Amino acid sequence: MATTARNQITIVDLNDAKSVQVYFTASQGFSQHYNPDTHKFSPAYPSANNVITPRVYETGDPNDHLARCTNVRYTINGTAFTASNSNTSYVVGADGRLTVKVNLTGNLNVTFEADYADEDNIVSKIGGSFTVVRNESSGALFQVVLTCPKGNIFDKSVAGDLTVKAQAVRGGTPDTTNVSYAWTQFDIRTGVWKPVASGRSNGAVLTVKPDDVLNFQTFKCVATDAGGSDAAATAEEIVTFQDLTDPYVLELYCPTGDKIVNGTGSTTVNARVWQGGTKVEDEATPEPSRKFTYAWMKLDASGKPSNFNGTTSPSKAGNPLTVGAADISGKATFVCEITKK
């Protein structure tokens, strides 16, 4: 199972004002490939426009609030564009989206700015930035391009699954001969890539279900050309999906304080799980009723794993965690990860 949430020992104020985050999705991805030998672009934006969509969220709210934005402005490589001064290359729509209609001559460094009105009609400035990269290959370089037709963010507007499509490209031209695709996903707990769930991949297409993404999940595609009419080659690319419909927040709390005095005594670290401002479970939740498992990692003052006193492991399980004086040599950090059962 994928890790649901992670935190280190800290003090969390859950009553702070809501913050606004801006994410971006691109219908043709955030890179364009150009082959100077064939003079071809992939994808070619004049025929397949790249539509950049800002996704605006308030903390704990899975709804996209782009519609609350006014005075939208994009600054592209130093030049500002709005709905009133768009041109044939860059079009800012009334809905706040940016459409790129021209092939790139270099990287596009883009800054997004807007006025955002919250539900109380309090207006604030918000913004974000992204880069659309122009990759120039020499000769028949083998690459793989990933696109997400419906975006890579699960929110209230998404009904069902999302997909990511892979296209092998050689020298700026789609390569469909003797090409196969393999998909894996990154396991943040073990730090390794593992196979995606059964039935998710179908050749060049990966189907991502909401249950596959707990807060965020990174997937990797490896394209392999077996050779024949072209030289054998491999290429890989990654894409990250986010789930904003059910974000979990992990709070770590020390009722007995986060300091051990004079090398004696102990302290307790409680883990509490929140979702949308509501506490889901905590250290007092009976074990049979718990939805999550709790894994702890001890790090020493230099940030390296350090065994718990009397054990041969830097890991422990359960909630709460009791930390004895013998576990602390000057300073130690305890990392907690929760995973859905």
Side-chain angles (χ1 to χ4, degrees):
M1 294 290 290
T3 297
T4 304
R6 164 191 278 191
N7 203 351
Q8 297 176 191
I9 179 61
T10 187
I11 302 299
V12 177
D13 181 0
L14 295 176
N15 294 315
D16 284 344
K18 291 182 178 180
S19 61
V20 179
Q21 299 89 34
V22 182
Y23 303 90
F24 301 93
T25 62
S27 63
Q28 299 296 336
F30 288 98
S31 64
Q32 185 184 46
H33 303 278
Y34 172 67
N35 186 325
D37 296 335
T38 61
H39 305 291
K40 290 186 177 181
F41 290 86
S42 179
Y45 292 165
S47 58
N49 298 164
N50 197 359
V51 181
I52 313 295
T53 303
R55 311 291 285 271
V56 182
Y57 301 95
E58 287 187 355
T59 302
D61 186 347
N63 295 291
D64 177 13
H65 294 302
L66 178 59
R68 293 182 181 175
C69 294
T70 57
N71 300 322
V72 172
R73 181 174 71 173
Y74 291 88
T75 302
I76 304 175
N77 291 345
T79 301
F81 293 87
T82 65
S84 62
N85 76 331
S86 300
N87 58 25
T88 56
S89 299
Y90 309 110
V91 177
V92 180
D95 58 1
R97 299 192 300 173
L98 171 68
T99 301
V100 181
K101 295 187 173 185
V102 64
N103 289 325
L104 305 185
T105 58
N107 292 348
L108 290 187
N109 298 304
V110 184
T111 299
F112 165 85
E113 298 172 282
D115 292 335
Y116 177 78
D118 65 15
E119 58 186 6
D120 297 317
N121 290 320
I122 297 175
V123 179
S124 58
K125 297 286 186 182
I126 64 170
S129 61
F130 60 91
T131 299
V132 184
V133 178
R134 180 182 189 268
N135 292 320
E136 183 170 320
S137 62
S138 177
L141 180 66
F142 184 73
Q143 299 171 296
V144 60
V145 179
L146 302 182
T147 57
C148 302
K150 297 192 295 182
N152 61 336
I153 298 175
F154 287 98
D155 62 15
K156 286 294 186 182
S157 68
V158 175
D161 307 331
L162 295 176
T163 59
V164 54
K165 296 183 178 180
Q167 174 62 68
V169 177
R170 188 182 290 271
T173 302
D175 188 343
T176 59
T177 305
N178 298 325
V179 177
S180 61
Y181 300 90
W183 298 88
T184 55
Q185 64 186 57
F186 187 70
D187 188 334
I188 191 172
R189 187 174 184 181
T190 61
V192 300
W193 294 93
K194 65 180 185 180
V196 297
S198 177
R200 299 292 193 269
S201 61
N202 182 16
V205 179
L206 175 70
T207 298
V208 181
K209 296 182 176 295
D211 286 346
D212 297 333
V213 182
L214 292 170
N215 295 344
F216 66 91
Q217 180 63 58
T218 299
F219 298 91
K220 178 169 67 174
C221 177
V222 177
T224 302
D225 190 329
S229 58
D230 298 314
T234 61
E236 63 182 52
E237 186 62 272
I238 64 173
V239 61
T240 298
F241 283 76
Q242 293 175 286
D243 184 3
L244 300 180
T245 62
D246 59 353
Y248 292 99
V249 176
L250 179 61
E251 175 196 13
L252 300 183
Y253 169 65
C254 289
T256 51
D258 61 355
K259 293 179 176 62
I260 290 179
V261 181
N262 297 327
T264 61
S266 64
T267 190
T268 301
V269 186
N270 296 336
R272 298 171 176 178
V273 184
W274 297 77
Q275 183 184 40
T278 301
K279 185 162 62 177
V280 177
E281 69 178 43
D282 60 15
E283 68 283 355
T285 303
E287 185 64 37
S289 301
R290 293 187 178 184
K291 301 178 181 178
F292 304 94
T293 58
Y294 298 79
W296 300 84
M297 173 73 72
K298 176 187 171 185
L299 306 176
D300 63 18
S302 63
K304 297 179 181 178
S306 175
N307 293 343
F308 280 91
N309 182 55
T311 75
T312 58
S313 172
S315 302
K316 278 192 175 183
N319 183 27
L321 173 72
T322 299
V323 180
D327 284 313
I328 309 298
S329 179
K331 181 177 71 172
T333 298
F334 298 90
V335 181
C336 181
E337 288 186 348
I338 61 172
T339 303
K340 270 189 173 180
K341 290 183 178 180

